[in-house]
Structures are given as C-alpha cells and as structure tokens.
Amino acid sequence: MNRAAPSISPEELRALLQREEGQFLEFKSLWQRDVEPRKTIHRRKVRDLVAECVAAFANADGGTLVLGVDDDGTPTGHGYPVEALDEFLAVPEKRLRPRVACRVGPMTLDGHELLVFEVPMSQEAVMV
C-alpha cells in the first residue's frame, strides 16, 4: 500500500493535543476504561471506530483523528502488535467506499506511540 505519512511534526502534534476536540479533531484512547490490569480495546472495535471517524471527517470538511490519546489530550499510547497497527492504518483504504487517501502513520510523543490519521474532505459521499 502506498500510504503517505502524517505531515505534522512532533511539535505540531503536541500543539494539536492542547486543543479541544471538535469538528476537525478527535482523540481516542486505545485502552479500556476502569479495567485493571489495563487492557486494550478489542481490535474490531478500533477498526470500526477508525472507519466511522474517517468517514465522518471525509464527509464534512476533513479533520485529524489521533488514536492513543485520552479525551483531555494526554498521550497514553497502545499495547497492540505491529500487525494490528497495520490493520488500523489500512482501514481508510480497505473499509471505506470510495477509499479515503489519508495521511496516516505512527508518531511517538512522550514515549507513547500514537496513530495519526489526517483526513481530507471527500468530493463524494464516503460509506463504511
């Protein structure tokens, strides 16, 4: 797959995490809440979440989805193996019609690997 890496720098990502979520920005934690010991969210749920968020951004004016971040902008990373990350990053190409050519990839911030999806606005309706 020919995916383009995110275009933002680590400094720009840090600034983005200081903003509030809204029409153009969404943070999603990849950890189950209130579960000890800490467990990751089921892979299928993450893939569904990526598909829904990317489609919503593409059908509006575009936006940025950052996985591995709490709602308050705190980086928490993930606990998935590489093959799961590849599945998540492939969602815009594999699960959406028409495909959405996002800039996607992992970025490390404060020792936590985050997944960043920069979603462009689509010229036609995107369906999951």
Side-chain angles (χ1 to χ4, degrees):
M1 281 175 236
N2 279 337
R3 286 189 212 121
S7 64
I8 61 176
S9 69
E11 295 78 23
E12 291 169 319
L13 178 58
R14 187 176 304 286
L16 203 61
L17 297 183
Q18 299 301 312
R19 294 179 33 200
E20 288 189 27
E21 294 177 290
Q23 179 181 351
F24 302 102
L25 180 62
E26 185 73 29
F27 305 140
K28 293 294 181 187
S29 174
L30 294 172
W31 299 101
Q32 293 180 20
R33 297 182 193 271
D34 304 325
V35 176
E36 290 296 332
R38 205 162 74 152
K39 291 183 179 182
T40 56
I41 295 172
H42 191 278
R43 291 181 189 189
R44 176 180 289 158
K45 185 173 179 179
V46 176
R47 290 190 307 265
D48 291 348
L49 177 83
V50 170
E52 291 170 13
C53 287
V54 170
F57 280 142
N59 286 329
D61 293 322
T64 303
L65 169 64
V66 186
L67 300 180
V69 177
D70 285 343
D71 287 340
D72 66 0
T74 303
T76 55
H78 64 82
Y80 297 101
V82 173
E83 63 271 8
L85 301 180
D86 288 341
E87 290 174 14
F88 303 156
L89 296 173
V91 166
E93 295 174 350
K94 290 188 172 186
R95 294 205 39 207
L96 302 177
R97 294 294 173 258
R99 294 179 176 166
V100 178
C102 299
R103 297 183 71 89
V104 299
M107 293 185 73
T108 302
L109 194 64
D110 298 338
H112 297 285
E113 187 175 54
L114 312 179
L115 301 179
V116 179
F117 295 75
E118 293 178 313
V119 183
M121 179 176 69
S122 178
Q123 298 303 311
E124 53 188 300
V126 174
M127 306 296 282
V128 176

